Amino acid sequence: MKKILSIMVLVMLSVSLCFANGAQETNSDGPVTIEFIQWWEPELPEGSLRAIMDEFEAQNPDIKVNLVSGPFSSTHDQLVTGAATGTLSDVVGLDGAWVSELVDQGALLPLDDYIDSGNLPREDIAAPVSVNGDTYMMAITTFVYYLFVNNDILEEAGVEIPATRSEFLEAGKKITNPDENVYSWIFPFSLLYPSASQDQLMTWVWASGGRMLDENGNPDLVGNQEIIDVLQFILDCYNAGIMSPGVLSKQSQDMTDEFATERAAFMVNGLSLVSTLRDRNPDLNFSVAPMPVADDFTGTSGLMYAPWGVGVSASSEHPDEAWRLVEYLMSPEVNAQIAELASGLPGNKTAVAESDDPAFQQGQAIFQNCELINEFIGMPVASELQRIFGEEVQAMIEQGQSIGETLQNVQDQWNDTLGL
């Protein structure tokens, strides 16, 4: 009996030593490092996203997070390149318009199994984006686009915040002063900024209840009076000289710079820029207002929205650790914190974001009376469709192409691209 007990003790000691050695080997490797590519860090208060990552690392000592940050305008191309070369970061910041394209590349991991077996109830996810029935993206925070207004410039020009497009054009003529390098509207429309087709163009259409797709989800551009009217409005503003010069080469960062330095009275942008503007120019006196609508419009106005989405790379060597970061970002407390820092709406329905910033409060009040709309989200190759639209609008502005020809060209190319 004693001999048997001795053998059992030896076996148990051996097993214990094996586990101990294994643990030592695991610990000697150190924590896993995952990359998180996004454009959020430059748009949030300095150091705030790193602080959130530091807290995640404190709660998950086996994971380190390397932030890969850059401007929104270049992030899409980085993702496409990373997907093509198999070097995509583990956790991926996403715009909803990019999801279908990246799924077609095999770049994103379906998240449904993680959602169903994790600590994030599916019913708490405010804005999931699915392709062919699989979930690939969740919105960490959602941004509604408004008309940003420099109150001091308007007061000096003796004009009120415009409620209609015609009021906007007339206000622009009174505000613009090329000798002082002050213009009414910064309208960035570089082809390096393809989402300008939604942010800077279609947002005017959606504001007055217009749509670019028919009831079956197919392009409906030719003869679409709402879009025709907006393109004519843009031409009228351009020809009147109220836009900041160089619109066809400017990107989103140029828009932020010119508004922050008080060289433009108006821009169309999301509430995520509020904290950036406060940091760039603490004396900037600005507010947010509803998008101006067609003169005869009386319905519920549409507000363009864009999410800061997140997904996991299909090529990640550490998908479980990547998912733990996604789940952390979607937890109610952290999700509310990010939304508050970014002046956005939480992606977790149970999270509550609060802000003392008057611009954020103005945006929240406007949001209550409007309909959120973005027809590009979830569309196949949405970025390519936006690029096509941008090219044809550039031809309209720069080369005198007619509005009818512009929309016909866009619809023909969209149909070809979508295989319709």
Side-chain angles (χ1 to χ4, degrees):
M1 183 68 177
K2 290 181 179 179
K3 185 176 180 180
I4 294 173
L5 287 173
S6 297
I7 293 172
M8 291 177 65
V9 169
L10 287 172
V11 170
M12 292 175 67
L13 285 172
S14 298
V15 172
S16 297
L17 286 171
C18 287
F19 277 115
N21 289 335
Q24 289 172 358
E25 289 173 6
T26 301
N27 290 338
S28 68
D29 292 338
V32 165
T33 298
I34 59 175
E35 282 189 351
F36 178 17
I37 186 171
Q38 35 61 49
W39 64 94
W40 311 353
E41 188 173 31
E43 298 192 15
L44 290 172
E46 185 175 357
S48 60
L49 186 60
R50 184 65 255 174
I52 292 171
M53 296 301 104
D54 292 344
E55 180 59 31
F56 170 77
E57 293 175 354
Q59 296 183 27
N60 298 268
D62 58 328
I63 306 175
K64 295 293 183 183
V65 181
N66 177 28
L67 291 175
V68 180
S69 306
F72 173 81
S73 57
S74 64
T75 301
H76 170 263
D77 291 343
Q78 288 181 275
L79 298 186
V80 172
T81 300
T85 59
T87 58
L88 191 60
S89 297
D90 304 274
V91 180
V92 184
L94 295 168
D95 183 290
W98 306 340
V99 174
S100 181
E101 174 185 7
L102 290 170
V103 169
D104 287 345
Q105 283 189 273
L108 298 180
L109 190 70
L111 302 177
D112 298 279
D113 288 346
Y114 283 110
I115 296 171
D116 294 337
S117 61
N119 300 314
L120 176 63
R122 187 178 291 271
E123 59 270 18
D124 291 349
I125 304 172
V129 175
S130 299
V131 177
N132 299 325
D134 294 320
T135 304
Y136 291 94
M137 188 197 96
M138 290 176 290
I140 299 300
T141 187
T142 298
F143 301 98
V144 181
Y145 275 54
Y146 302 93
L147 182 69
F148 279 65
V149 179
N150 183 308
N151 298 320
D152 290 339
I153 293 179
L154 263 66
E155 182 178 355
E156 184 176 346
V159 299
E160 301 291 331
I161 295 176
T164 66
R165 292 180 207 146
S166 62
E167 291 176 2
F168 183 90
L169 177 57
E170 291 307 310
K173 294 175 181 177
K174 296 178 181 178
I175 290 167
T176 299
N177 185 348
D179 293 338
E180 298 293 331
N181 197 28
V182 174
Y183 290 85
S184 172
W185 185 16
I186 169 62
F187 178 77
F189 215 77
S190 166
L191 294 179
L192 297 176
Y193 173 35
S195 64
S197 293
Q198 70 175 18
D199 304 347
Q200 305 300 319
L201 173 59
M202 284 305 301
T203 189
W204 291 89
V205 176
W206 294 326
S208 298
R211 296 291 184 269
M212 67 181 194
L213 305 176
D214 63 22
E215 58 185 14
N216 296 316
N218 296 323
D220 181 25
L221 306 175
V222 176
N224 187 320
Q225 194 59 49
E226 288 86 357
I227 302 178
I228 292 171
D229 290 345
V230 166
L231 292 180
Q232 185 61 58
F233 162 72
I234 289 171
L235 281 176
D236 291 344
C237 291
Y238 181 81
N239 292 331
I242 73 168
M243 292 178 176
S244 176
V247 297
L248 301 186
S249 63
K250 290 183 175 177
Q251 301 184 52
S252 56
Q253 187 59 51
D254 300 308
M255 171 173 54
T256 302
D257 292 342
E258 292 196 23
F259 191 84
T261 54
E262 303 192 63
R263 288 177 285 151
F266 300 118
M267 72 171 179
V268 177
N269 220 317
L271 283 183
S272 61
L273 262 293
V274 169
S275 59
T276 299
L277 293 173
R278 300 294 186 205
D279 290 341
R280 288 283 305 275
N281 185 353
D283 296 326
L284 184 65
N285 178 17
F286 71 94
S287 58
V288 299
M291 288 295 300
V293 296
D295 290 12
D296 58 352
F297 181 70
T298 58
T300 299
S301 185
L303 284 176
M304 201 283 285
Y305 78 99
W308 280 5
V310 68
V312 174
S313 168
S315 62
S316 172
E317 296 181 358
H318 309 290
D320 293 346
E321 289 82 0
W323 170 252
R324 281 160 63 185
L325 177 57
V326 172
E327 201 169 43
Y328 179 76
L329 295 173
M330 285 295 293
S331 62
E333 296 79 9
V334 177
N335 195 245
Q337 181 185 2
I338 296 173
E340 289 169 3
L341 288 167
S343 299
L345 304 174
N348 186 316
K349 294 179 182 178
T350 67
V352 179
E354 299 178 353
S355 176
D356 294 330
D357 193 293
F360 181 82
Q361 294 173 353
Q362 290 164 355
Q364 289 284 67
I366 295 167
F367 163 75
Q368 300 301 321
N369 298 310
C370 295
E371 172 190 8
L372 292 184
I373 175 70
N374 187 336
E375 293 178 281
F376 282 108
I377 289 181
M379 285 192 71
V381 293
S383 293
E384 175 64 11
L385 301 182
Q386 292 170 350
R387 184 195 62 77
I388 290 169
F389 209 160
E391 286 182 344
E392 294 301 327
V393 170
Q394 283 218 0
M396 179 192 75
I397 293 174
E398 191 171 39
Q399 302 170 18
Q401 178 173 271
S402 72
I403 293 174
E405 186 178 0
T406 296
L407 293 178
Q408 185 68 63
N409 290 346
V410 174
Q411 179 145 325
D412 289 345
Q413 293 180 69
W414 278 18
N415 286 342
D416 288 343
T417 302
L418 295 169
L420 299 176

